[in-house]
Structures are given as C-alpha cells and as structure tokens.
C-alpha cells in the first residue's frame, strides 16, 4: 500500500481492511430501526467493521461476508491493528482535503477504528461455526436467491473503481440483486473513489439495474468525510 504524494489523493494498492462502527453505518446509509426490523441484513465486504456485531446485539438478523474471514481471528486482529496505523499516517498527509465535522479529529477517527476492530473481533471469535461471518468474494456469494431484506456495502465497490473494471461492478451488483429479497433494498456508500471523484459509469450501472427490474437512485446522506461523498446508491428490488 502506498500514498501518492499529490494533494488529496489516497492511493491504495489492493483493498484495505475496513473497521467501521455500527453508528457509522447507521449514519452513512441513513438507516432506521424500521428498515432493520424487516428481515435479514447482509453486510458485503464487511471487513472488520462492527455493524453486524452491533445489529445482532440489538436483535436484528445480520450476516457479514468478506474473503478476510478465511483467516483466523489472531491474523485478522494483527492485520487490523497494523492497517489502522498505516491508514492514520496516510490520512494525516491529506487531512486538509477531508471533512472532519463527523469525526472531529484524526485522533478520534483512529479511536473509532480501534473500537470497531475490538467489537468485531469479539463477535468473530464467538461465531465458531462461521455462519454469521461468511468467507466469500463478489461477484459469487453463497446465499440463496431472495434472502436478504437489506444489503449494504461500505467503502468497497466504488471506492476502488480504478482497480475494478465496469464489468466487475455490473456483475457484483447483479449478484447483490439476486440475493436481495423482493421489496428489499441495496445501499452502497460512497459513490466516489479514493481520488474523491464520482464513479464514472454510474449512469450506465443504474440503467442496468433498471433493466433487471429494479429502481436505482442516488440518495443523500448526512455522513461526511471524503470530499464529494454525499450520496449513497440505493437499489430497490
């Protein structure tokens, strides 16, 4: 992983391990208790985020999926700690290009990541059968058709658009539609890349979702960090 030294560009080689909290998910996806109560929830590319752990504690049915879960808990924890250190160093170099009204400061941002990792790892270790934390990689998920009432994806698909081509995004979203239940929703955030520019093929991707019989739209979010990341993609099946 490396940081390009040009102003405002956080350059990532490969996909970083995400460590985001339950509350961050609630805010970035504009989630409500009514929406969470509707049925099973899937967090795609969940990494070491603690949303699934937090949702489960509140009585919601939640599953996390990520290829990371092939590793044992000790490996994940060590990697998570190291990535938090590295990402904090990178963010410090481009701090002036980011919006800090949500986190308050770089130190608080790091503390949030560390707390999320701790909550995640406790839940991951407790899931001995790995029925809640499932190892899989888009665009092939090991779930039946029409399973989840809500599918969410944080800081993966569009954030890394420079590393994945348009066909990957089409195939990935087609798979998310497959596992989403009729009447359910898919919500993906952010819609900008690490270069803080909008995903360039969004209109074509939304047209493809419409062809699948879904309604696709960009919805506002109050969550702020990356410049331009003020919306999430919502797909209603």
């Amino acid at each position: 992983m490396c940081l390009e030294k040009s102003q405002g560009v956080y350059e990532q080689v490969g996909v970083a391990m995400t460590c985001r909290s339950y509350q961050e998910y609630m805010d970035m996806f504009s989630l409500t208790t009514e929406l969470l109560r509707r049925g099973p929830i899937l967090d795609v590319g969940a990494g070491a985020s603690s949303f699934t752990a937090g949702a489960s504690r509140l009585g919601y049915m939640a599953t996390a999926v990520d290829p990371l879960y092939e590793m044992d808990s000790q490996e994940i924890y060590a990697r998570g700690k190291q990535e938090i250190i590295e990402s904090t160093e990178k963010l410090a170099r481009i701090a002036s290009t980011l919006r800090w009204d949500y986190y308050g400061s770089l130190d608080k941002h790091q503390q949030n990541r560390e707390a999320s990792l701790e909550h995640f790892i406790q839940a991951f270790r407790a899931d001995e059968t790995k029925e809640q934390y499932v190892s899989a990689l888009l665009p092939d998920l090991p779930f039946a058709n029409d399973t989840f009432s809500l599918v969410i994806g944080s800081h993966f698909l569009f954030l890394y658009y420079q590393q994945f081509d348009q066909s990957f995004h089409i195939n990935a979203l087609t798979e998310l539609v497959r596992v989403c239940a009729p009447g359910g929703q898919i919500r993906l955030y952010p819609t900008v890349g690490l270069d803080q520019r909008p995903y360039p093929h969004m209109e074509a991707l939304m047209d493809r979702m419409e062809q699948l019989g879904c309604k696709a739209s960009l919805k506002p979010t109050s969550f702020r960090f990356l410049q331009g990341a003020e919306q999430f993609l919502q797909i209603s099946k």
Side-chain angles (χ1 to χ4, degrees):
M1 296 183 294
C2 63
L3 176 71
E4 185 178 283
K5 293 184 180 179
S6 59
Q7 184 75 5
V9 177
Y10 184 109
E11 186 170 306
Q12 176 77 30
V13 177
V15 177
M17 179 192 298
T18 184
C19 300
R20 290 179 169 81
S21 67
Y22 175 85
Q23 189 59 51
E24 284 174 281
Y25 272 59
M26 293 295 291
D27 295 334
M28 72 177 69
F29 294 114
S30 301
L31 298 178
T32 63
T33 55
E34 179 184 359
L35 186 62
L36 298 179
R37 288 194 190 111
R38 291 181 183 175
I41 306 160
L42 179 65
D43 183 6
V44 179
S49 291
S50 58
F51 171 79
T52 294
S56 298
R57 282 198 301 270
L58 293 171
Y60 304 123
M61 298 172 60
T63 300
V65 61
D66 196 292
L68 177 73
Y69 306 150
E70 281 291 329
M71 301 166 63
D72 64 35
S73 61
Q74 186 173 353
E75 291 176 300
I76 294 174
Y77 187 69
R79 178 176 166 184
K81 295 287 281 187
Q82 183 59 37
E83 287 212 13
I84 290 171
I85 293 171
E86 293 176 358
S87 66
T88 300
E89 291 174 351
K90 295 176 183 181
L91 291 173
R93 299 181 191 182
I94 60 168
S96 64
T97 73
L98 302 170
R99 301 182 63 172
W100 294 99
D101 37 331
Y102 185 85
Y103 294 108
S105 69
L106 182 60
D107 285 343
K108 290 181 180 179
H109 180 277
Q110 181 174 352
Q111 291 166 12
N112 184 290
R113 294 285 173 272
E114 291 170 342
S116 297
L117 176 61
E118 296 292 340
H119 293 159
F120 160 81
I121 209 68
Q122 292 174 15
F124 183 80
R125 287 171 175 161
D127 182 27
E128 296 180 356
T129 62
K130 293 297 172 280
E131 293 180 353
Q132 190 170 36
Y133 292 91
V134 179
S135 176
L137 178 67
L138 280 172
D140 298 302
L141 300 179
F143 306 112
N145 295 351
D146 306 331
T147 299
F148 300 97
S149 67
L150 177 65
V151 179
I152 48 181
S154 162
H155 293 79
F156 172 50
L157 282 168
F158 305 126
L159 191 67
Y160 295 95
Y161 78 81
Q162 293 173 312
Q163 298 185 39
F164 299 95
D165 61 20
Q166 186 179 0
S167 64
F168 172 81
H169 287 100
I170 291 173
N171 292 337
L173 264 65
T174 300
E175 180 72 346
L176 298 184
V177 168
R178 182 187 69 80
V179 302
C180 184
Q185 290 184 359
I186 300 163
R187 297 188 179 189
L188 305 171
Y189 178 89
T191 58
V192 302
L194 286 169
D195 58 1
Q196 303 189 37
R197 296 176 180 174
Y199 174 62
H201 307 296
M202 184 61 74
E203 185 175 348
L205 193 63
M206 293 172 70
D207 287 344
R208 175 57 179 159
M209 295 300 100
E210 299 282 347
Q211 292 171 10
L212 293 176
C214 300
K215 181 179 179 181
S217 57
L218 295 173
K219 300 292 186 180
T221 173
S222 61
F223 183 83
R224 296 289 185 271
F225 191 49
L226 288 176
Q227 293 288 352
E230 301 176 359
Q231 299 173 313
F232 60 86
L233 174 63
Q234 178 174 298
I235 302 167
S236 300
K237 185 173 178 180

